């Protein structure tokens, strides 16, 4: 089993910043990447960013240049630094651990609300 614990969500004004964290534990010996997804009300869950074991990163076009994903491999933690936040970034943000031989594991989600 894999456990993912997220933190760092909250309410922020447009143009502000937030930093999300996600710590993985359990049977993660075959984890090859970690990523972030988000789901806004009434919309499907969408991919946001991913970071591999070699620290290679990829971003969705909607967040490129504003969000930065990083990983502390020693502590099995992934971060999402979110700058220049917009109201359309409002969503529940989910962490995902990608493991070889399985579809991956999800965190419980953390709410991010961007509003004045």
């Amino acid at each position: 089993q894999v456990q993912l614990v997220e933190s760092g969500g909250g309410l922020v004004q447009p143009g502000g910043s937030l930093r999300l964290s996600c710590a993985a534990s359990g049977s993660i010996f075959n984890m090859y990447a970690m990523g972030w997804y988000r789901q806004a009300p009434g919309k499907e869950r969408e991919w946001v960013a991913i970071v591999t074991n070699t620290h290679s990163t990829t971003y969705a076009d909607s967040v490129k240049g504003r969000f930065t994903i990083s990983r502390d491999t020693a502590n099995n933690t992934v971060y999402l630094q979110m700058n220049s936040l917009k109201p359309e970034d409002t969503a529940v943000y989910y962490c995902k651990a990608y493991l070889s031989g399985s579809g991956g594991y999800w965190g419980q989600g953390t709410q991010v609300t961007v509003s004045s």
Side-chain angles (χ1 to χ4, degrees), residues 50-101:
I50 188 171
V51 57
T52 69
N53 284 357
T54 58
H55 301 278
S56 174
T57 59
T58 312
Y59 299 91
D61 288 343
S62 59
V63 306
K64 200 173 295 183
R66 300 188 298 122
F67 290 11
T68 301
I69 189 170
S70 60
R71 187 170 169 185
D72 179 348
T73 305
N75 293 307
N76 296 308
T77 300
V78 64
Y79 304 95
L80 186 67
Q81 177 67 43
M82 304 184 294
N83 299 330
S84 301
L85 282 162
K86 305 175 182 180
E88 50 263 44
D89 294 317
T90 295
V92 177
Y93 283 70
Y94 297 90
C95 171
K96 182 176 181 179
Y98 297 81
L99 279 71
S100 299

Side-chain angles (χ1 to χ4, degrees), residues 2 7 18 24 35 44 48 69 72 95 99 101:
V2 175
S7 61
L18 279 176
E44 294 187 354
V48 174
I69 189 170
D72 179 348
C95 171
L99 279 71

